[in-house]
Every structure is written in structure tokens, then in C-alpha cells.
Amino acid sequence: KQEVTQIPAALSVPEGENLVLNCSFTDSAIYNLQWFRQDPGKGLTSLLLIQSSQREQTSGRLNASLDKSSGRSTLYIAASQPGDSATYLCAVSPAGGATNKLIFGTGTLLAVQP
Amino acid sequence: EAGVAQSPRYKIIEKRQSVAFWCNPISGHATLYWYQQILGQGPKLLIQFQNNGVVDDSQLPKDRFSAERLKGVDSTLKIQPAKLEDSAVYLCASSLWTGIYGYTFGSGTRLTVV
């Protein structure tokens, strides 16, 4: 059974710092991995999607890496801003089968202090 | 393009009452998902539709939850009767097809059962 773990559960950093969020998964048979952002009372916004054959994806100040064999992904946020404060969720899509369901971690609550 | 629309945004009901949530996916998206997110946890898939057929409902508590997607467009998720542990945010998402494409999530319906 696929399980997704995110460390740390919460993180507080001063504005301008670079930071790394960690995600690990127990089964390397995945289709893809996604990082989402969730603001309070809002739905999920997809930040980056990494296919199983890829090693990393970049979007602006965000860079996500994927090491499928070790079951790990990291989300790197450069020069953090108060507007980055949110919960960050990673999710994997298991390979095989007819579904494209996502299995989520419990998230990392990020607070960027001005 | 318009996003995934959900209603209502909030609902408070007493235990043993019934409730229904509505979702309108992005136009042309064949795949529709309902996720349940309990406070402090990551979202969990309840049911996945491909057009108007069910692909995966393995985690749907079928004794009290039901869902339909008539004509392969809008979807309704119903709970009858509700329990205290059903208090959660119910997220609807859609994707172009089951496969490599990313998801778009709605803002969710926050259900409180008292």
C-alpha cells in the first residue's frame, strides 16, 4: 500500500530564505508526482508535475526534484516571500490500473515571516 | 478557462441528516474526482468517474455515501445519514483524461456535522 510522508509538518522561516520541503513515498511504481499549494479555505493549486521519467521540474522560484528509486521528492523554494505562506502537499499517482488517483501526504504548513 | 465550480461553499448539518454537494468540472474534462480532506490530513479519493462511468469507488463508504455523474458533466455527492466523522472539506477535481495530465481542483465544500 502506497504511503506518502512529508517532513517537516510545519516550518517557519524569515523572508528571503531558501527552503526545502521533503516528500517520501513507499512504492516507487508511480506514474507521476505533483506538488500542490493549499491556502486556508481554498482548493488545491497545482505547482509542479513531474513524470516518472523526469528528474526535476522548475517554475519561477520553485524547483521540484524526483528520485523514484529512493522514493523521494523535494520542493525547493528560493528567496521565500510572505505570499508563499500556505500548506504544501505532495501527491503521487500510482502506476498501473485504470485510475489516475492521487495519494497525498499530510502536508507541510509553511509560514514566511516578513 | 473557467475553473471547477462547487457548491455550496459551507454547510452545517446535524448528525443523521442528509446533505448533497454539487460539482461542475472544466468543460471537456472527461475525468472527475471527489476527494475528502479531514482537518490536518491530505485529501483522500472517494470516487473517480470517467465520463459517466465509475472507475474507482473503493474508498467510498457506500452505506452512507453515493455519487452520480449524469450525462458525463456535472456530479453530485450525497451523504445520508451524516455522522460526526464526516466533517471535512469535500473537494471536486477534474482532468482532461485519465493519464499524464494534471488535475484542476475546485475550492471545496466545508461540511460540519454537529
Side-chain angles (χ1 to χ4, degrees), chain B residues 25-63:
Chain B
I26 291 175
S27 177
H29 279 196
T31 310
L32 184 146
Y33 315 80
W34 283 101
Y35 282 81
Q36 178 193 56
Q37 185 176 22
I38 294 172
L39 186 64
Q41 299 182 17
K44 180 185 78 172
L45 179 70
L46 292 176
I47 189 167
Q48 177 184 345
F49 291 95
Q50 187 71 24
N51 296 310
N52 60 351
V54 175
V55 175
D56 185 347
D57 63 356
S58 58
Q59 298 191 90
L60 186 74
K62 298 180 185 65
D63 58 334

PDB file of all heavy atoms in Angstrom, chain B residues 25-63:
ATOM      1  N   PRO B  25     -17.364  20.390 -13.533  1.00  0.00           N
ATOM      2  CA  PRO B  25     -15.941  20.358 -13.910  1.00  0.00           C
ATOM      3  C   PRO B  25     -15.638  21.315 -15.058  1.00  0.00           C
ATOM      4  O   PRO B  25     -16.537  21.941 -15.623  1.00  0.00           O
ATOM      5  CB  PRO B  25     -15.755  18.906 -14.355  1.00  0.00           C
ATOM      6  CG  PRO B  25     -17.095  18.535 -14.914  1.00  0.00           C
ATOM      7  CD  PRO B  25     -18.095  19.245 -14.057  1.00  0.00           C
ATOM      8  N   ILE B  26     -14.381  21.398 -15.400  1.00  0.00           N
ATOM      9  CA  ILE B  26     -13.969  22.187 -16.546  1.00  0.00           C
ATOM     10  C   ILE B  26     -14.538  21.551 -17.809  1.00  0.00           C
ATOM     11  O   ILE B  26     -14.526  20.319 -17.960  1.00  0.00           O
ATOM     12  CB  ILE B  26     -12.437  22.294 -16.614  1.00  0.00           C
ATOM     13  CG1 ILE B  26     -11.931  23.157 -15.450  1.00  0.00           C
ATOM     14  CG2 ILE B  26     -11.962  22.845 -17.955  1.00  0.00           C
ATOM     15  CD1 ILE B  26     -10.423  23.240 -15.345  1.00  0.00           C
ATOM     16  N   SER B  27     -15.026  22.394 -18.693  1.00  0.00           N
ATOM     17  CA  SER B  27     -15.646  21.901 -19.918  1.00  0.00           C
ATOM     18  C   SER B  27     -14.674  21.023 -20.709  1.00  0.00           C
ATOM     19  O   SER B  27     -13.521  21.386 -20.944  1.00  0.00           O
ATOM     20  CB  SER B  27     -16.079  23.096 -20.778  1.00  0.00           C
ATOM     21  OG  SER B  27     -16.625  22.648 -22.006  1.00  0.00           O
ATOM     22  N   GLY B  28     -15.173  19.846 -21.085  1.00  0.00           N
ATOM     23  CA  GLY B  28     -14.348  18.941 -21.870  1.00  0.00           C
ATOM     24  C   GLY B  28     -13.530  17.962 -21.067  1.00  0.00           C
ATOM     25  O   GLY B  28     -12.926  17.041 -21.633  1.00  0.00           O
ATOM     26  N   HIS B  29     -13.495  18.129 -19.737  1.00  0.00           N
ATOM     27  CA  HIS B  29     -12.746  17.198 -18.900  1.00  0.00           C
ATOM     28  C   HIS B  29     -13.570  15.929 -18.692  1.00  0.00           C
ATOM     29  O   HIS B  29     -14.657  15.955 -18.138  1.00  0.00           O
ATOM     30  CB  HIS B  29     -12.400  17.847 -17.560  1.00  0.00           C
ATOM     31  CG  HIS B  29     -11.202  18.733 -17.620  1.00  0.00           C
ATOM     32  ND1 HIS B  29     -10.529  19.159 -16.484  1.00  0.00           N
ATOM     33  CD2 HIS B  29     -10.539  19.255 -18.677  1.00  0.00           C
ATOM     34  CE1 HIS B  29      -9.507  19.915 -16.860  1.00  0.00           C
ATOM     35  NE2 HIS B  29      -9.499  19.991 -18.184  1.00  0.00           N
ATOM     36  N   ALA B  30     -12.986  14.815 -19.125  1.00  0.00           N
ATOM     37  CA  ALA B  30     -13.707  13.555 -19.059  1.00  0.00           C
ATOM     38  C   ALA B  30     -13.668  12.927 -17.666  1.00  0.00           C
ATOM     39  O   ALA B  30     -14.547  12.171 -17.293  1.00  0.00           O
ATOM     40  CB  ALA B  30     -13.127  12.573 -20.070  1.00  0.00           C
ATOM     41  N   THR B  31     -12.622  13.233 -16.910  1.00  0.00           N
ATOM     42  CA  THR B  31     -12.433  12.572 -15.617  1.00  0.00           C
ATOM     43  C   THR B  31     -12.787  13.520 -14.484  1.00  0.00           C
ATOM     44  O   THR B  31     -12.367  14.678 -14.472  1.00  0.00           O
ATOM     45  CB  THR B  31     -10.973  12.101 -15.463  1.00  0.00           C
ATOM     46  OG1 THR B  31     -10.591  11.366 -16.619  1.00  0.00           O
ATOM     47  CG2 THR B  31     -10.834  11.203 -14.244  1.00  0.00           C
ATOM     48  N   LEU B  32     -13.571  13.026 -13.543  1.00  0.00           N
ATOM     49  CA  LEU B  32     -13.998  13.822 -12.395  1.00  0.00           C
ATOM     50  C   LEU B  32     -13.749  13.015 -11.135  1.00  0.00           C
ATOM     51  O   LEU B  32     -13.980  11.810 -11.077  1.00  0.00           O
ATOM     52  CB  LEU B  32     -15.483  14.170 -12.509  1.00  0.00           C
ATOM     53  CG  LEU B  32     -16.081  15.091 -11.437  1.00  0.00           C
ATOM     54  CD1 LEU B  32     -17.159  15.982 -12.046  1.00  0.00           C
ATOM     55  CD2 LEU B  32     -16.627  14.335 -10.250  1.00  0.00           C
ATOM     56  N   TYR B  33     -13.247  13.707 -10.103  1.00  0.00           N
ATOM     57  CA  TYR B  33     -12.885  13.074  -8.840  1.00  0.00           C
ATOM     58  C   TYR B  33     -13.555  13.802  -7.672  1.00  0.00           C
ATOM     59  O   TYR B  33     -13.708  15.019  -7.693  1.00  0.00           O
ATOM     60  CB  TYR B  33     -11.378  13.155  -8.597  1.00  0.00           C
ATOM     61  CG  TYR B  33     -10.492  12.816  -9.772  1.00  0.00           C
ATOM     62  CD1 TYR B  33     -10.254  13.749 -10.776  1.00  0.00           C
ATOM     63  CD2 TYR B  33      -9.850  11.580  -9.851  1.00  0.00           C
ATOM     64  CE1 TYR B  33      -9.428  13.451 -11.851  1.00  0.00           C
ATOM     65  CE2 TYR B  33      -9.007  11.284 -10.917  1.00  0.00           C
ATOM     66  CZ  TYR B  33      -8.801  12.225 -11.903  1.00  0.00           C
ATOM     67  OH  TYR B  33      -7.965  11.919 -12.964  1.00  0.00           O
ATOM     68  N   TRP B  34     -13.911  13.040  -6.651  1.00  0.00           N
ATOM     69  CA  TRP B  34     -14.318  13.592  -5.363  1.00  0.00           C
ATOM     70  C   TRP B  34     -13.310  13.131  -4.311  1.00  0.00           C
ATOM     71  O   TRP B  34     -13.050  11.934  -4.179  1.00  0.00           O
ATOM     72  CB  TRP B  34     -15.698  13.116  -4.950  1.00  0.00           C
ATOM     73  CG  TRP B  34     -16.841  13.778  -5.655  1.00  0.00           C
ATOM     74  CD1 TRP B  34     -17.581  13.292  -6.699  1.00  0.00           C
ATOM     75  CD2 TRP B  34     -17.412  15.057  -5.342  1.00  0.00           C
ATOM     76  NE1 TRP B  34     -18.547  14.191  -7.056  1.00  0.00           N
ATOM     77  CE2 TRP B  34     -18.471  15.286  -6.238  1.00  0.00           C
ATOM     78  CE3 TRP B  34     -17.119  16.044  -4.389  1.00  0.00           C
ATOM     79  CZ2 TRP B  34     -19.250  16.445  -6.222  1.00  0.00           C
ATOM     80  CZ3 TRP B  34     -17.899  17.189  -4.364  1.00  0.00           C
ATOM     81  CH2 TRP B  34     -18.944  17.387  -5.274  1.00  0.00           C
ATOM     82  N   TYR B  35     -12.752  14.098  -3.595  1.00  0.00           N
ATOM     83  CA  TYR B  35     -11.819  13.820  -2.516  1.00  0.00           C
ATOM     84  C   TYR B  35     -12.399  14.332  -1.196  1.00  0.00           C
ATOM     85  O   TYR B  35     -13.102  15.346  -1.168  1.00  0.00           O
ATOM     86  CB  TYR B  35     -10.471  14.507  -2.752  1.00  0.00           C
ATOM     87  CG  TYR B  35      -9.571  13.817  -3.751  1.00  0.00           C
ATOM     88  CD1 TYR B  35      -9.757  13.991  -5.118  1.00  0.00           C
ATOM     89  CD2 TYR B  35      -8.529  13.001  -3.317  1.00  0.00           C
ATOM     90  CE1 TYR B  35      -8.922  13.353  -6.023  1.00  0.00           C
ATOM     91  CE2 TYR B  35      -7.693  12.366  -4.216  1.00  0.00           C
ATOM     92  CZ  TYR B  35      -7.889  12.544  -5.566  1.00  0.00           C
ATOM     93  OH  TYR B  35      -7.064  11.914  -6.460  1.00  0.00           O
ATOM     94  N   GLN B  36     -12.065  13.654  -0.128  1.00  0.00           N
ATOM     95  CA  GLN B  36     -12.425  14.077   1.219  1.00  0.00           C
ATOM     96  C   GLN B  36     -11.148  14.483   1.955  1.00  0.00           C
ATOM     97  O   GLN B  36     -10.179  13.717   1.985  1.00  0.00           O
ATOM     98  CB  GLN B  36     -13.105  12.928   1.977  1.00  0.00           C
ATOM     99  CG  GLN B  36     -13.480  13.272   3.408  1.00  0.00           C
ATOM    100  CD  GLN B  36     -13.855  12.018   4.207  1.00  0.00           C
ATOM    101  OE1 GLN B  36     -13.081  11.073   4.308  1.00  0.00           O
ATOM    102  NE2 GLN B  36     -15.057  12.003   4.750  1.00  0.00           N
ATOM    103  N   GLN B  37     -11.149  15.690   2.526  1.00  0.00           N
ATOM    104  CA  GLN B  37      -9.990  16.144   3.281  1.00  0.00           C
ATOM    105  C   GLN B  37     -10.408  16.461   4.710  1.00  0.00           C
ATOM    106  O   GLN B  37     -11.053  17.484   4.969  1.00  0.00           O
ATOM    107  CB  GLN B  37      -9.335  17.360   2.636  1.00  0.00           C
ATOM    108  CG  GLN B  37      -8.045  17.773   3.334  1.00  0.00           C
ATOM    109  CD  GLN B  37      -7.337  18.934   2.638  1.00  0.00           C
ATOM    110  OE1 GLN B  37      -7.951  19.702   1.907  1.00  0.00           O
ATOM    111  NE2 GLN B  37      -6.022  19.044   2.860  1.00  0.00           N
ATOM    112  N   ILE B  38     -10.026  15.589   5.628  1.00  0.00           N
ATOM    113  CA  ILE B  38     -10.269  15.809   7.045  1.00  0.00           C
ATOM    114  C   ILE B  38      -9.194  16.749   7.572  1.00  0.00           C
ATOM    115  O   ILE B  38      -8.037  16.699   7.115  1.00  0.00           O
ATOM    116  CB  ILE B  38     -10.285  14.477   7.795  1.00  0.00           C
ATOM    117  CG1 ILE B  38     -11.496  13.647   7.329  1.00  0.00           C
ATOM    118  CG2 ILE B  38     -10.320  14.662   9.298  1.00  0.00           C
ATOM    119  CD1 ILE B  38     -11.526  12.230   7.840  1.00  0.00           C
ATOM    120  N   LEU B  39      -9.552  17.582   8.518  1.00  0.00           N
ATOM    121  CA  LEU B  39      -8.639  18.587   9.051  1.00  0.00           C
ATOM    122  C   LEU B  39      -7.308  17.976   9.471  1.00  0.00           C
ATOM    123  O   LEU B  39      -7.281  16.990  10.214  1.00  0.00           O
ATOM    124  CB  LEU B  39      -9.294  19.289  10.241  1.00  0.00           C
ATOM    125  CG  LEU B  39      -8.532  20.478  10.829  1.00  0.00           C
ATOM    126  CD1 LEU B  39      -8.434  21.599   9.806  1.00  0.00           C
ATOM    127  CD2 LEU B  39      -9.193  20.967  12.111  1.00  0.00           C
ATOM    128  N   GLY B  40      -6.213  18.534   8.961  1.00  0.00           N
ATOM    129  CA  GLY B  40      -4.884  18.063   9.324  1.00  0.00           C
ATOM    130  C   GLY B  40      -4.386  16.891   8.498  1.00  0.00           C
ATOM    131  O   GLY B  40      -3.279  16.391   8.729  1.00  0.00           O
ATOM    132  N   GLN B  41      -5.191  16.461   7.540  1.00  0.00           N
ATOM    133  CA  GLN B  41      -4.796  15.332   6.700  1.00  0.00           C
ATOM    134  C   GLN B  41      -4.759  15.748   5.232  1.00  0.00           C
ATOM    135  O   GLN B  41      -5.301  16.786   4.854  1.00  0.00           O
ATOM    136  CB  GLN B  41      -5.781  14.169   6.865  1.00  0.00           C
ATOM    137  CG  GLN B  41      -5.865  13.624   8.280  1.00  0.00           C
ATOM    138  CD  GLN B  41      -6.823  12.452   8.382  1.00  0.00           C
ATOM    139  OE1 GLN B  41      -7.197  11.834   7.378  1.00  0.00           O
ATOM    140  NE2 GLN B  41      -7.222  12.134   9.603  1.00  0.00           N
ATOM    141  N   GLY B  42      -4.129  14.910   4.408  1.00  0.00           N
ATOM    142  CA  GLY B  42      -4.182  15.126   2.981  1.00  0.00           C
ATOM    143  C   GLY B  42      -5.496  14.614   2.412  1.00  0.00           C
ATOM    144  O   GLY B  42      -6.176  13.794   3.037  1.00  0.00           O
ATOM    145  N   PRO B  43      -5.888  15.102   1.256  1.00  0.00           N
ATOM    146  CA  PRO B  43      -7.120  14.616   0.636  1.00  0.00           C
ATOM    147  C   PRO B  43      -7.064  13.118   0.343  1.00  0.00           C
ATOM    148  O   PRO B  43      -5.999  12.576   0.041  1.00  0.00           O
ATOM    149  CB  PRO B  43      -7.203  15.428  -0.658  1.00  0.00           C
ATOM    150  CG  PRO B  43      -6.376  16.642  -0.418  1.00  0.00           C
ATOM    151  CD  PRO B  43      -5.256  16.170   0.459  1.00  0.00           C
ATOM    152  N   LYS B  44      -8.230  12.466   0.427  1.00  0.00           N
ATOM    153  CA  LYS B  44      -8.354  11.042   0.143  1.00  0.00           C
ATOM    154  C   LYS B  44      -9.416  10.857  -0.929  1.00  0.00           C
ATOM    155  O   LYS B  44     -10.526  11.407  -0.812  1.00  0.00           O
ATOM    156  CB  LYS B  44      -8.738  10.281   1.408  1.00  0.00           C
ATOM    157  CG  LYS B  44      -8.902   8.773   1.207  1.00  0.00           C
ATOM    158  CD  LYS B  44      -9.401   8.109   2.468  1.00  0.00           C
ATOM    159  CE  LYS B  44     -10.882   8.322   2.662  1.00  0.00           C
ATOM    160  NZ  LYS B  44     -11.445   7.542   3.789  1.00  0.00           N
ATOM    161  N   LEU B  45      -9.090  10.081  -1.963  1.00  0.00           N
ATOM    162  CA  LEU B  45     -10.036   9.865  -3.050  1.00  0.00           C
ATOM    163  C   LEU B  45     -11.251   9.075  -2.566  1.00  0.00           C
ATOM    164  O   LEU B  45     -11.121   8.017  -1.944  1.00  0.00           O
ATOM    165  CB  LEU B  45      -9.381   9.105  -4.196  1.00  0.00           C
ATOM    166  CG  LEU B  45     -10.296   8.792  -5.380  1.00  0.00           C
ATOM    167  CD1 LEU B  45     -10.635  10.076  -6.146  1.00  0.00           C
ATOM    168  CD2 LEU B  45      -9.657   7.773  -6.307  1.00  0.00           C
ATOM    169  N   LEU B  46     -12.440   9.602  -2.865  1.00  0.00           N
ATOM    170  CA  LEU B  46     -13.677   8.875  -2.583  1.00  0.00           C
ATOM    171  C   LEU B  46     -14.161   8.135  -3.821  1.00  0.00           C
ATOM    172  O   LEU B  46     -14.516   6.954  -3.761  1.00  0.00           O
ATOM    173  CB  LEU B  46     -14.775   9.833  -2.103  1.00  0.00           C
ATOM    174  CG  LEU B  46     -14.567  10.482  -0.739  1.00  0.00           C
ATOM    175  CD1 LEU B  46     -15.690  11.476  -0.456  1.00  0.00           C
ATOM    176  CD2 LEU B  46     -14.516   9.418   0.350  1.00  0.00           C
ATOM    177  N   ILE B  47     -14.214   8.839  -4.949  1.00  0.00           N
ATOM    178  CA  ILE B  47     -14.741   8.244  -6.165  1.00  0.00           C
ATOM    179  C   ILE B  47     -14.171   8.961  -7.372  1.00  0.00           C
ATOM    180  O   ILE B  47     -13.912  10.164  -7.329  1.00  0.00           O
ATOM    181  CB  ILE B  47     -16.287   8.264  -6.174  1.00  0.00           C
ATOM    182  CG1 ILE B  47     -16.848   7.446  -7.337  1.00  0.00           C
ATOM    183  CG2 ILE B  47     -16.817   9.695  -6.182  1.00  0.00           C
ATOM    184  CD1 ILE B  47     -18.351   7.173  -7.216  1.00  0.00           C
ATOM    185  N   GLN B  48     -13.966   8.189  -8.451  1.00  0.00           N
ATOM    186  CA  GLN B  48     -13.478   8.732  -9.712  1.00  0.00           C
ATOM    187  C   GLN B  48     -14.425   8.294 -10.830  1.00  0.00           C
ATOM    188  O   GLN B  48     -14.774   7.107 -10.938  1.00  0.00           O
ATOM    189  CB  GLN B  48     -12.068   8.233 -10.021  1.00  0.00           C
ATOM    190  CG  GLN B  48     -11.527   8.695 -11.364  1.00  0.00           C
ATOM    191  CD  GLN B  48     -10.171   8.125 -11.699  1.00  0.00           C
ATOM    192  OE1 GLN B  48      -9.477   7.591 -10.828  1.00  0.00           O
ATOM    193  NE2 GLN B  48      -9.768   8.234 -12.951  1.00  0.00           N
ATOM    194  N   PHE B  49     -14.819   9.259 -11.650  1.00  0.00           N
ATOM    195  CA  PHE B  49     -15.652   8.992 -12.813  1.00  0.00           C
ATOM    196  C   PHE B  49     -14.836   9.208 -14.086  1.00  0.00           C
ATOM    197  O   PHE B  49     -14.027  10.129 -14.175  1.00  0.00           O
ATOM    198  CB  PHE B  49     -16.843   9.962 -12.869  1.00  0.00           C
ATOM    199  CG  PHE B  49     -17.866   9.777 -11.801  1.00  0.00           C
ATOM    200  CD1 PHE B  49     -17.813  10.526 -10.632  1.00  0.00           C
ATOM    201  CD2 PHE B  49     -18.906   8.881 -11.968  1.00  0.00           C
ATOM    202  CE1 PHE B  49     -18.762  10.371  -9.646  1.00  0.00           C
ATOM    203  CE2 PHE B  49     -19.877   8.725 -10.989  1.00  0.00           C
ATOM    204  CZ  PHE B  49     -19.798   9.468  -9.823  1.00  0.00           C
ATOM    205  N   GLN B  50     -15.077   8.380 -15.067  1.00  0.00           N
ATOM    206  CA  GLN B  50     -14.583   8.601 -16.411  1.00  0.00           C
ATOM    207  C   GLN B  50     -15.838   8.763 -17.266  1.00  0.00           C
ATOM    208  O   GLN B  50     -16.601   7.803 -17.445  1.00  0.00           O
ATOM    209  CB  GLN B  50     -13.742   7.422 -16.894  1.00  0.00           C
ATOM    210  CG  GLN B  50     -13.049   7.663 -18.220  1.00  0.00           C
ATOM    211  CD  GLN B  50     -11.905   8.655 -18.107  1.00  0.00           C
ATOM    212  OE1 GLN B  50     -11.332   8.853 -17.042  1.00  0.00           O
ATOM    213  NE2 GLN B  50     -11.575   9.289 -19.214  1.00  0.00           N
ATOM    214  N   ASN B  51     -16.065   9.988 -17.798  1.00  0.00           N
ATOM    215  CA  ASN B  51     -17.347  10.348 -18.373  1.00  0.00           C
ATOM    216  C   ASN B  51     -18.421  10.073 -17.317  1.00  0.00           C
ATOM    217  O   ASN B  51     -18.336  10.625 -16.236  1.00  0.00           O
ATOM    218  CB  ASN B  51     -17.571   9.628 -19.685  1.00  0.00           C
ATOM    219  CG  ASN B  51     -16.554  10.067 -20.726  1.00  0.00           C
ATOM    220  OD1 ASN B  51     -16.364  11.270 -20.936  1.00  0.00           O
ATOM    221  ND2 ASN B  51     -15.882   9.116 -21.352  1.00  0.00           N
ATOM    222  N   ASN B  52     -19.409   9.231 -17.557  1.00  0.00           N
ATOM    223  CA  ASN B  52     -20.419   8.996 -16.523  1.00  0.00           C
ATOM    224  C   ASN B  52     -20.287   7.620 -15.879  1.00  0.00           C
ATOM    225  O   ASN B  52     -21.178   7.176 -15.159  1.00  0.00           O
ATOM    226  CB  ASN B  52     -21.826   9.226 -17.058  1.00  0.00           C
ATOM    227  CG  ASN B  52     -22.145   8.292 -18.212  1.00  0.00           C
ATOM    228  OD1 ASN B  52     -21.273   7.609 -18.708  1.00  0.00           O
ATOM    229  ND2 ASN B  52     -23.390   8.267 -18.632  1.00  0.00           N
ATOM    230  N   GLY B  53     -19.152   6.946 -16.119  1.00  0.00           N
ATOM    231  CA  GLY B  53     -18.915   5.647 -15.511  1.00  0.00           C
ATOM    232  C   GLY B  53     -17.958   5.742 -14.340  1.00  0.00           C
ATOM    233  O   GLY B  53     -17.035   6.539 -14.346  1.00  0.00           O
ATOM    234  N   VAL B  54     -18.180   4.890 -13.339  1.00  0.00           N
ATOM    235  CA  VAL B  54     -17.324   4.869 -12.147  1.00  0.00           C
ATOM    236  C   VAL B  54     -16.068   4.043 -12.429  1.00  0.00           C
ATOM    237  O   VAL B  54     -16.150   2.899 -12.863  1.00  0.00           O
ATOM    238  CB  VAL B  54     -18.078   4.275 -10.942  1.00  0.00           C
ATOM    239  CG1 VAL B  54     -17.127   4.152  -9.743  1.00  0.00           C
ATOM    240  CG2 VAL B  54     -19.269   5.133 -10.586  1.00  0.00           C
ATOM    241  N   VAL B  55     -14.904   4.647 -12.181  1.00  0.00           N
ATOM    242  CA  VAL B  55     -13.634   3.954 -12.380  1.00  0.00           C
ATOM    243  C   VAL B  55     -13.122   3.375 -11.065  1.00  0.00           C
ATOM    244  O   VAL B  55     -12.582   2.280 -11.020  1.00  0.00           O
ATOM    245  CB  VAL B  55     -12.592   4.913 -12.987  1.00  0.00           C
ATOM    246  CG1 VAL B  55     -11.230   4.230 -13.093  1.00  0.00           C
ATOM    247  CG2 VAL B  55     -13.055   5.412 -14.343  1.00  0.00           C
ATOM    248  N   ASP B  56     -13.284   4.150  -9.985  1.00  0.00           N
ATOM    249  CA  ASP B  56     -12.759   3.727  -8.689  1.00  0.00           C
ATOM    250  C   ASP B  56     -13.643   4.299  -7.599  1.00  0.00           C
ATOM    251  O   ASP B  56     -13.773   5.517  -7.502  1.00  0.00           O
ATOM    252  CB  ASP B  56     -11.320   4.209  -8.515  1.00  0.00           C
ATOM    253  CG  ASP B  56     -10.646   3.705  -7.235  1.00  0.00           C
ATOM    254  OD1 ASP B  56     -11.353   3.187  -6.337  1.00  0.00           O
ATOM    255  OD2 ASP B  56      -9.420   3.838  -7.119  1.00  0.00           O
ATOM    256  N   ASP B  57     -14.279   3.443  -6.829  1.00  0.00           N
ATOM    257  CA  ASP B  57     -15.037   3.896  -5.651  1.00  0.00           C
ATOM    258  C   ASP B  57     -14.689   3.029  -4.450  1.00  0.00           C
ATOM    259  O   ASP B  57     -15.506   2.825  -3.549  1.00  0.00           O
ATOM    260  CB  ASP B  57     -16.541   3.905  -5.916  1.00  0.00           C
ATOM    261  CG  ASP B  57     -17.110   2.522  -6.210  1.00  0.00           C
ATOM    262  OD1 ASP B  57     -16.321   1.557  -6.279  1.00  0.00           O
ATOM    263  OD2 ASP B  57     -18.333   2.399  -6.377  1.00  0.00           O
ATOM    264  N   SER B  58     -13.468   2.517  -4.448  1.00  0.00           N
ATOM    265  CA  SER B  58     -13.063   1.569  -3.413  1.00  0.00           C
ATOM    266  C   SER B  58     -13.031   2.169  -2.016  1.00  0.00           C
ATOM    267  O   SER B  58     -13.145   1.439  -1.026  1.00  0.00           O
ATOM    268  CB  SER B  58     -11.687   0.983  -3.755  1.00  0.00           C
ATOM    269  OG  SER B  58     -10.725   2.017  -3.886  1.00  0.00           O
ATOM    270  N   GLN B  59     -12.872   3.471  -1.883  1.00  0.00           N
ATOM    271  CA  GLN B  59     -12.810   4.108  -0.570  1.00  0.00           C
ATOM    272  C   GLN B  59     -14.073   4.903  -0.256  1.00  0.00           C
ATOM    273  O   GLN B  59     -14.080   5.681   0.698  1.00  0.00           O
ATOM    274  CB  GLN B  59     -11.569   4.995  -0.468  1.00  0.00           C
ATOM    275  CG  GLN B  59     -10.267   4.204  -0.606  1.00  0.00           C
ATOM    276  CD  GLN B  59      -9.060   5.035  -0.241  1.00  0.00           C
ATOM    277  OE1 GLN B  59      -8.616   5.075   0.909  1.00  0.00           O
ATOM    278  NE2 GLN B  59      -8.499   5.715  -1.225  1.00  0.00           N
ATOM    279  N   LEU B  60     -15.108   4.700  -1.010  1.00  0.00           N
ATOM    280  CA  LEU B  60     -16.385   5.381  -0.756  1.00  0.00           C
ATOM    281  C   LEU B  60     -17.204   4.554   0.233  1.00  0.00           C
ATOM    282  O   LEU B  60     -17.501   3.379  -0.036  1.00  0.00           O
ATOM    283  CB  LEU B  60     -17.160   5.543  -2.061  1.00  0.00           C
ATOM    284  CG  LEU B  60     -18.450   6.352  -1.995  1.00  0.00           C
ATOM    285  CD1 LEU B  60     -18.129   7.842  -1.861  1.00  0.00           C
ATOM    286  CD2 LEU B  60     -19.306   6.092  -3.235  1.00  0.00           C
ATOM    287  N   PRO B  61     -17.588   5.131   1.376  1.00  0.00           N
ATOM    288  CA  PRO B  61     -18.433   4.396   2.340  1.00  0.00           C
ATOM    289  C   PRO B  61     -19.834   4.244   1.760  1.00  0.00           C
ATOM    290  O   PRO B  61     -20.710   5.092   1.965  1.00  0.00           O
ATOM    291  CB  PRO B  61     -18.409   5.282   3.587  1.00  0.00           C
ATOM    292  CG  PRO B  61     -17.290   6.245   3.369  1.00  0.00           C
ATOM    293  CD  PRO B  61     -17.186   6.447   1.887  1.00  0.00           C
ATOM    294  N   LYS B  62     -20.052   3.173   1.070  1.00  0.00           N
ATOM    295  CA  LYS B  62     -21.264   3.038   0.253  1.00  0.00           C
ATOM    296  C   LYS B  62     -22.542   2.885   1.068  1.00  0.00           C
ATOM    297  O   LYS B  62     -23.643   3.023   0.514  1.00  0.00           O
ATOM    298  CB  LYS B  62     -21.100   1.862  -0.711  1.00  0.00           C
ATOM    299  CG  LYS B  62     -19.951   2.030  -1.693  1.00  0.00           C
ATOM    300  CD  LYS B  62     -19.841   0.842  -2.618  1.00  0.00           C
ATOM    301  CE  LYS B  62     -18.622   0.974  -3.512  1.00  0.00           C
ATOM    302  NZ  LYS B  62     -17.349   0.925  -2.734  1.00  0.00           N
ATOM    303  N   ASP B  63     -22.405   2.605   2.373  1.00  0.00           N
ATOM    304  CA  ASP B  63     -23.621   2.506   3.183  1.00  0.00           C
ATOM    305  C   ASP B  63     -24.233   3.881   3.426  1.00  0.00           C
ATOM    306  O   ASP B  63     -25.424   3.983   3.751  1.00  0.00           O
ATOM    307  CB  ASP B  63     -23.309   1.829   4.514  1.00  0.00           C
ATOM    308  CG  ASP B  63     -22.234   2.553   5.318  1.00  0.00           C
ATOM    309  OD1 ASP B  63     -21.400   3.243   4.701  1.00  0.00           O
ATOM    310  OD2 ASP B  63     -22.235   2.441   6.555  1.00  0.00           O
TER     311      ASP B  63
END
